[in-house]
mmCIF file of all heavy atoms in Angstrom:
data_model
loop_
_atom_site.group_PDB
_atom_site.id
_atom_site.type_symbol
_atom_site.label_atom_id
_atom_site.label_comp_id
_atom_site.label_asym_id
_atom_site.label_seq_id
_atom_site.Cartn_x
_atom_site.Cartn_y
_atom_site.Cartn_z
ATOM 1 N N LEU G 351 16.450 19.209 -1.694
ATOM 2 C CA LEU G 351 17.557 18.253 -1.584
ATOM 3 C C LEU G 351 18.868 18.965 -1.275
ATOM 4 O O LEU G 351 19.687 18.450 -0.499
ATOM 5 C CB LEU G 351 17.671 17.452 -2.887
ATOM 6 C CG LEU G 351 16.440 16.615 -3.270
ATOM 7 C CD1 LEU G 351 16.673 15.882 -4.582
ATOM 8 C CD2 LEU G 351 16.099 15.620 -2.164
ATOM 9 N N ALA G 352 19.064 20.140 -1.863
ATOM 10 C CA ALA G 352 20.290 20.898 -1.583
ATOM 11 C C ALA G 352 20.343 21.326 -0.117
ATOM 12 O O ALA G 352 21.378 21.218 0.542
ATOM 13 C CB ALA G 352 20.367 22.115 -2.506
ATOM 14 N N TRP G 353 19.190 21.812 0.400
ATOM 15 C CA TRP G 353 19.136 22.193 1.808
ATOM 16 C C TRP G 353 19.356 20.973 2.711
ATOM 17 O O TRP G 353 19.953 21.077 3.780
ATOM 18 C CB TRP G 353 17.796 22.839 2.130
ATOM 19 C CG TRP G 353 17.790 24.326 1.929
ATOM 20 C CD1 TRP G 353 17.138 25.024 0.979
ATOM 21 C CD2 TRP G 353 18.517 25.290 2.694
ATOM 22 N NE1 TRP G 353 17.392 26.367 1.091
ATOM 23 C CE2 TRP G 353 18.235 26.565 2.151
ATOM 24 C CE3 TRP G 353 19.386 25.206 3.791
ATOM 25 C CZ2 TRP G 353 18.785 27.728 2.655
ATOM 26 C CZ3 TRP G 353 19.917 26.386 4.312
ATOM 27 C CH2 TRP G 353 19.621 27.621 3.746
ATOM 28 N N GLY G 354 18.889 19.827 2.267
ATOM 29 C CA GLY G 354 19.111 18.607 3.030
ATOM 30 C C GLY G 354 20.579 18.277 3.163
ATOM 31 O O GLY G 354 21.060 17.905 4.253
ATOM 32 N N LEU G 355 21.332 18.429 2.074
ATOM 33 C CA LEU G 355 22.776 18.166 2.131
ATOM 34 C C LEU G 355 23.485 19.172 3.027
ATOM 35 O O LEU G 355 24.415 18.821 3.764
ATOM 36 C CB LEU G 355 23.366 18.213 0.717
ATOM 37 C CG LEU G 355 22.980 17.043 -0.200
ATOM 38 C CD1 LEU G 355 23.528 17.267 -1.605
ATOM 39 C CD2 LEU G 355 23.494 15.721 0.364
ATOM 40 N N VAL G 356 23.040 20.417 2.969
ATOM 41 C CA VAL G 356 23.619 21.435 3.853
ATOM 42 C C VAL G 356 23.361 21.065 5.321
ATOM 43 O O VAL G 356 24.258 21.167 6.178
ATOM 44 C CB VAL G 356 23.034 22.829 3.536
ATOM 45 C CG1 VAL G 356 23.459 23.846 4.591
ATOM 46 C CG2 VAL G 356 23.484 23.284 2.155
ATOM 47 N N LEU G 357 22.132 20.625 5.617
ATOM 48 C CA LEU G 357 21.806 20.211 6.990
ATOM 49 C C LEU G 357 22.632 19.009 7.421
ATOM 50 O O LEU G 357 23.022 18.905 8.589
ATOM 51 C CB LEU G 357 20.318 19.882 7.087
ATOM 52 C CG LEU G 357 19.348 21.060 7.144
ATOM 53 C CD1 LEU G 357 17.908 20.561 7.146
ATOM 54 C CD2 LEU G 357 19.610 21.900 8.397
ATOM 55 N N ALA G 358 22.905 18.095 6.477
ATOM 56 C CA ALA G 358 23.723 16.928 6.811
ATOM 57 C C ALA G 358 25.131 17.355 7.215
ATOM 58 O O ALA G 358 25.698 16.834 8.191
ATOM 59 C CB ALA G 358 23.777 15.972 5.620
ATOM 60 N N VAL G 359 25.693 18.294 6.478
ATOM 61 C CA VAL G 359 27.031 18.798 6.817
ATOM 62 C C VAL G 359 27.013 19.495 8.179
ATOM 63 O O VAL G 359 27.890 19.273 9.016
ATOM 64 C CB VAL G 359 27.536 19.760 5.717
ATOM 65 C CG1 VAL G 359 28.852 20.412 6.144
ATOM 66 C CG2 VAL G 359 27.724 19.005 4.402
ATOM 67 N N LEU G 360 25.996 20.324 8.408
ATOM 68 C CA LEU G 360 25.893 21.011 9.692
ATOM 69 C C LEU G 360 25.709 20.018 10.838
ATOM 70 O O LEU G 360 26.281 20.200 11.923
ATOM 71 C CB LEU G 360 24.722 21.999 9.667
ATOM 72 C CG LEU G 360 24.882 23.219 8.756
ATOM 73 C CD1 LEU G 360 23.599 24.038 8.735
ATOM 74 C CD2 LEU G 360 26.054 24.078 9.232
ATOM 75 N N LEU G 361 24.933 18.983 10.587
ATOM 76 C CA LEU G 361 24.731 17.956 11.605
ATOM 77 C C LEU G 361 26.055 17.297 11.972
ATOM 78 O O LEU G 361 26.360 17.100 13.153
ATOM 79 C CB LEU G 361 23.753 16.896 11.088
ATOM 80 C CG LEU G 361 23.517 15.685 11.995
ATOM 81 C CD1 LEU G 361 22.801 16.110 13.271
ATOM 82 C CD2 LEU G 361 22.696 14.618 11.267
ATOM 83 N N GLY G 362 26.860 16.960 10.953
ATOM 84 C CA GLY G 362 28.159 16.347 11.221
ATOM 85 C C GLY G 362 29.088 17.272 11.991
ATOM 86 O O GLY G 362 29.799 16.842 12.908
ATOM 87 N N LEU G 363 29.078 18.548 11.636
ATOM 88 C CA LEU G 363 29.963 19.510 12.318
ATOM 89 C C LEU G 363 29.533 19.731 13.763
ATOM 90 O O LEU G 363 30.372 19.756 14.674
ATOM 91 C CB LEU G 363 29.949 20.840 11.556
ATOM 92 C CG LEU G 363 30.623 20.841 10.177
ATOM 93 C CD1 LEU G 363 30.402 22.181 9.483
ATOM 94 C CD2 LEU G 363 32.125 20.552 10.305
ATOM 95 N N VAL G 364 28.217 19.891 13.981
ATOM 96 C CA VAL G 364 27.736 20.185 15.322
ATOM 97 C C VAL G 364 27.918 18.999 16.261
ATOM 98 O O VAL G 364 28.391 19.142 17.400
ATOM 99 C CB VAL G 364 26.247 20.609 15.280
ATOM 100 C CG1 VAL G 364 25.683 20.736 16.695
ATOM 101 C CG2 VAL G 364 26.105 21.928 14.549
ATOM 102 N N THR G 365 27.561 17.805 15.791
ATOM 103 C CA THR G 365 27.666 16.625 16.658
ATOM 104 C C THR G 365 29.105 16.197 16.898
ATOM 105 O O THR G 365 29.406 15.567 17.917
ATOM 106 C CB THR G 365 26.888 15.443 16.052
ATOM 107 O OG1 THR G 365 27.384 15.176 14.725
ATOM 108 C CG2 THR G 365 25.412 15.745 15.985
ATOM 109 N N GLY G 366 29.979 16.532 15.974
ATOM 110 C CA GLY G 366 31.376 16.135 16.145
ATOM 111 C C GLY G 366 32.262 17.186 16.768
ATOM 112 O O GLY G 366 33.409 16.901 17.136
ATOM 113 N N ALA G 367 31.747 18.416 16.907
ATOM 114 C CA ALA G 367 32.582 19.527 17.362
ATOM 115 C C ALA G 367 33.115 19.304 18.780
ATOM 116 O O ALA G 367 34.322 19.402 19.030
ATOM 117 C CB ALA G 367 31.800 20.839 17.280
ATOM 118 N N LEU G 368 32.223 18.998 19.737
ATOM 119 C CA LEU G 368 32.649 18.846 21.128
ATOM 120 C C LEU G 368 33.561 17.634 21.324
ATOM 121 O O LEU G 368 34.638 17.768 21.938
ATOM 122 C CB LEU G 368 31.432 18.761 22.049
ATOM 123 C CG LEU G 368 31.738 18.632 23.547
ATOM 124 C CD1 LEU G 368 32.564 19.817 24.022
ATOM 125 C CD2 LEU G 368 30.438 18.516 24.358
ATOM 126 N N PRO G 369 33.195 16.432 20.824
ATOM 127 C CA PRO G 369 34.120 15.295 20.964
ATOM 128 C C PRO G 369 35.464 15.557 20.299
ATOM 129 O O PRO G 369 36.520 15.155 20.836
ATOM 130 C CB PRO G 369 33.367 14.151 20.270
ATOM 131 C CG PRO G 369 31.943 14.527 20.351
ATOM 132 C CD PRO G 369 31.918 16.001 20.221
ATOM 133 N N ALA G 370 35.482 16.213 19.142
ATOM 134 C CA ALA G 370 36.745 16.498 18.455
ATOM 135 C C ALA G 370 37.586 17.474 19.264
ATOM 136 O O ALA G 370 38.820 17.323 19.372
ATOM 137 C CB ALA G 370 36.457 17.067 17.066
ATOM 138 N N TRP G 371 36.949 18.472 19.843
ATOM 139 C CA TRP G 371 37.676 19.454 20.658
ATOM 140 C C TRP G 371 38.264 18.783 21.904
ATOM 141 O O TRP G 371 39.407 19.042 22.277
ATOM 142 C CB TRP G 371 36.719 20.568 21.050
ATOM 143 C CG TRP G 371 37.334 21.631 21.926
ATOM 144 C CD1 TRP G 371 38.170 22.637 21.534
ATOM 145 C CD2 TRP G 371 37.166 21.769 23.336
ATOM 146 N NE1 TRP G 371 38.524 23.415 22.606
ATOM 147 C CE2 TRP G 371 37.921 22.901 23.741
ATOM 148 C CE3 TRP G 371 36.445 21.071 24.299
ATOM 149 C CZ2 TRP G 371 37.982 23.319 25.064
ATOM 150 C CZ3 TRP G 371 36.508 21.501 25.611
ATOM 151 C CH2 TRP G 371 37.258 22.608 25.992
ATOM 152 N N GLN G 372 37.483 17.906 22.527
ATOM 153 C CA GLN G 372 37.985 17.180 23.699
ATOM 154 C C GLN G 372 39.155 16.273 23.339
ATOM 155 O O GLN G 372 40.128 16.166 24.092
ATOM 156 C CB GLN G 372 36.853 16.358 24.324
ATOM 157 C CG GLN G 372 35.767 17.202 24.969
ATOM 158 C CD GLN G 372 34.590 16.376 25.458
ATOM 159 O OE1 GLN G 372 34.353 15.264 24.978
ATOM 160 N NE2 GLN G 372 33.831 16.920 26.417
ATOM 161 N N ALA G 373 39.074 15.603 22.198
ATOM 162 C CA ALA G 373 40.169 14.731 21.761
ATOM 163 C C ALA G 373 41.419 15.535 21.452
ATOM 164 O O ALA G 373 42.546 15.113 21.763
ATOM 165 C CB ALA G 373 39.736 13.933 20.536
ATOM 166 N N ALA G 374 41.255 16.705 20.851
ATOM 167 C CA ALA G 374 42.410 17.532 20.497
ATOM 168 C C ALA G 374 43.110 18.065 21.745
ATOM 169 O O ALA G 374 44.336 18.203 21.777
ATOM 170 C CB ALA G 374 41.973 18.681 19.600
ATOM 171 N N ARG G 375 42.354 18.374 22.803
ATOM 172 C CA ARG G 375 42.931 18.937 24.026
ATOM 173 C C ARG G 375 43.397 17.857 25.013
ATOM 174 O O ARG G 375 43.918 18.182 26.081
ATOM 175 C CB ARG G 375 41.899 19.837 24.714
ATOM 176 C CG ARG G 375 41.641 21.134 23.940
ATOM 177 C CD ARG G 375 40.616 21.994 24.653
ATOM 178 N NE ARG G 375 41.026 22.287 26.018
ATOM 179 C CZ ARG G 375 41.826 23.303 26.368
ATOM 180 N NH1 ARG G 375 42.329 24.091 25.431
ATOM 181 N NH2 ARG G 375 42.141 23.510 27.630
ATOM 182 N N LEU G 376 43.225 16.619 24.642
ATOM 183 C CA LEU G 376 43.606 15.517 25.530
ATOM 184 C C LEU G 376 45.116 15.504 25.767
ATOM 185 O O LEU G 376 45.902 15.532 24.814
ATOM 186 C CB LEU G 376 43.157 14.187 24.909
ATOM 187 C CG LEU G 376 43.421 12.936 25.732
ATOM 188 C CD1 LEU G 376 42.560 12.933 26.997
ATOM 189 C CD2 LEU G 376 43.131 11.687 24.886
ATOM 190 N N ARG G 377 45.518 15.442 27.040
ATOM 191 C CA ARG G 377 46.943 15.375 27.390
ATOM 192 C C ARG G 377 47.349 13.917 27.518
ATOM 193 O O ARG G 377 46.636 13.091 28.091
ATOM 194 C CB ARG G 377 47.206 16.105 28.703
ATOM 195 C CG ARG G 377 46.910 17.603 28.617
ATOM 196 C CD ARG G 377 47.099 18.281 29.948
ATOM 197 N NE ARG G 377 48.475 18.109 30.440
ATOM 198 C CZ ARG G 377 48.871 18.512 31.651
ATOM 199 N NH1 ARG G 377 48.006 19.082 32.469
ATOM 200 N NH2 ARG G 377 50.142 18.323 32.026
#
Side-chain angles (χ1 to χ4, degrees):
L351 299 180
W353 270 111
L355 289 175
V356 171
L357 283 176
V359 173
L360 291 175
L361 175 67
L363 291 174
V364 172
T365 57
L368 181 59
W371 178 77
Q372 292 174 337
R375 290 180 56 86
L376 183 67
R377 296 177 59 186

